[in-house]
Amino acid sequence: MEKKKKSICYHEGRIYFTKAAERKVFFFLTIFMLCLGVMSFAGLF
């Protein structure tokens, strides 16, 4: 049996991410900031 590795791990007061999880988090943060910028430029914010 394979043991699945957790994508987010909390150990000794620190949070560790796998590379795949880190890429997903930063991708969604980038898209979110892009949407906020477009809405700000359009005068909605």
Side-chain angles (χ1 to χ4, degrees), residues 9 17-19 21 24-25 28 30-31 35 41 44:
C9 179
F17 293 93
T18 60
K19 284 184 180 182
K24 287 179 185 178
V25 167
F28 287 115
T30 303
I31 297 299
C35 291
F41 183 75
L44 299 174

Side-chain angles (χ1 to χ4, degrees), residues 13-32:
R14 291 189 175 181
I15 299 173
Y16 296 95
F17 293 93
T18 60
K19 284 184 180 182
E22 185 177 359
R23 286 183 183 145
K24 287 179 185 178
V25 167
F26 282 109
F27 174 76
F28 287 115
L29 285 175
T30 303
I31 297 299
F32 178 70

